[in-house]
Amino acid sequence: MVAIGMTPPAAAADRGLSVGAIRLLTLTGLLAAYQAISSSGLVFEGAMPGLPAIAVALLRQVADPAFYPHLGRTAYEAAAGVAIGASVGVACGVSLGASRFLAAMLDPWIRALAPAPKIIFLPVLILAFGIDAGPKIAMAAISSFFPVAVATFGGMREVRRILVQVVRSFDASTLQLLRIVYLPSIVVPLLGSLRLAVGVALIGALLAEVKMSNKGLGYLIIQDYNAFRTAEMYALLLLVFALALSINAVLRAIGRRYGVP
């Protein structure tokens, strides 16, 4: 409810400030709780290094020029995977939505495989693509394919059949039907699914780098873990988290233009 004398835009801005303050307080509380546990002696200090040590490691990491080729490698693998996986996912979702036969035949398999851990495909991907960037891109593509395909198919199913019949009554071609009716219907679910696809693609690329790689953020993380450089490992995890948040914020800003919450 809008307060008396307050315009709706002002009320919305006030709610935005309140939400931002709550988020900031929550983050501050979590950091304070972490530091308290780290300093309490209840947990081995090497397992939970203090925030000052992590901050120093973080600054040292971003100041090191050797860090950025690893960052670029992971970003490239995740971006290429999303581009491939999302493209195939959109094509698959549109095809299933346009054909009841394909939907009946393939939709149960897609929904059954969607929640499966994608790391099980890694040995096959290594055999198929070697140990360079190929299996990491493939892992990211497989990870991002499923949320996009499921969301696109769901958007296609929401199209009212009467609209399809009306457009077809004007002798519209398949491409015209796709452009006029189907594509506008899948924009919102597609943009929403892309936010999830980017996240799981990044996870897929990192997991593949952890298992077998000599470059990338996942490689750096596992190297710090093996050497018990926990402050450096936590710093890298924070950088990965910040990267994911930044990409998600950009996609969210784009989605708001199309009414995606």
Side-chain angles (χ1 to χ4, degrees), residues 181-208:
V181 178
Y182 287 125
L183 288 183
S185 301
I186 66 174
V187 168
V188 172
L190 176 59
L191 289 175
S193 68
L194 279 176
R195 291 168 58 186
L196 176 60
V198 169
V200 295
L202 185 59
I203 292 172
L206 289 170
L207 285 175

Side-chain angles (χ1 to χ4, degrees), residues 66-231:
F67 164 75
Y68 293 96
H70 294 281
L71 174 62
R73 179 63 168 263
T74 299
Y76 161 69
E77 291 166 351
V82 170
I84 296 171
S87 299
V88 177
V90 169
C92 181
V94 169
S95 300
L96 295 183
S99 171
R100 293 184 179 179
F101 173 75
L102 288 177
M105 182 173 62
L106 297 178
D107 182 53
W109 291 102
I110 292 177
R111 293 188 182 276
L113 289 173
K118 308 307 180 290
I119 194 66
I120 61 176
F121 298 111
L122 184 58
V124 177
L125 298 177
I126 292 175
L127 290 174
F129 299 104
I131 61 173
D132 199 25
K136 290 82 174 178
I137 295 174
M139 177 66 72
I142 292 174
S143 299
S144 60
F145 163 80
F146 288 99
V148 172
V150 171
T152 302
F153 178 47
M156 292 285 291
R157 293 182 66 178
E158 293 298 320
V159 175
R160 296 173 59 185
R161 307 313 300 178
I162 186 65
L163 295 178
V164 178
Q165 295 171 1
V166 168
V167 174
R168 281 179 172 169
S169 68
F170 288 95
D171 295 327
S173 65
T174 302
L175 289 178
Q176 289 174 325
L177 183 66
L178 182 66
R179 179 174 57 84
I180 296 173
V181 178
Y182 287 125
L183 288 183
S185 301
I186 66 174
V187 168
V188 172
L190 176 59
L191 289 175
S193 68
L194 279 176
R195 291 168 58 186
L196 176 60
V198 169
V200 295
L202 185 59
I203 292 172
L206 289 170
L207 285 175
E209 289 175 350
V210 165
K211 292 297 181 181
M212 183 174 291
S213 182
N214 60 359
K215 187 178 289 187
L217 296 183
Y219 166 75
L220 292 181
I221 290 171
I222 199 63
Q223 291 300 307
D224 287 336
Y225 170 80
N226 290 334
F228 207 66
R229 296 189 294 263
T230 50

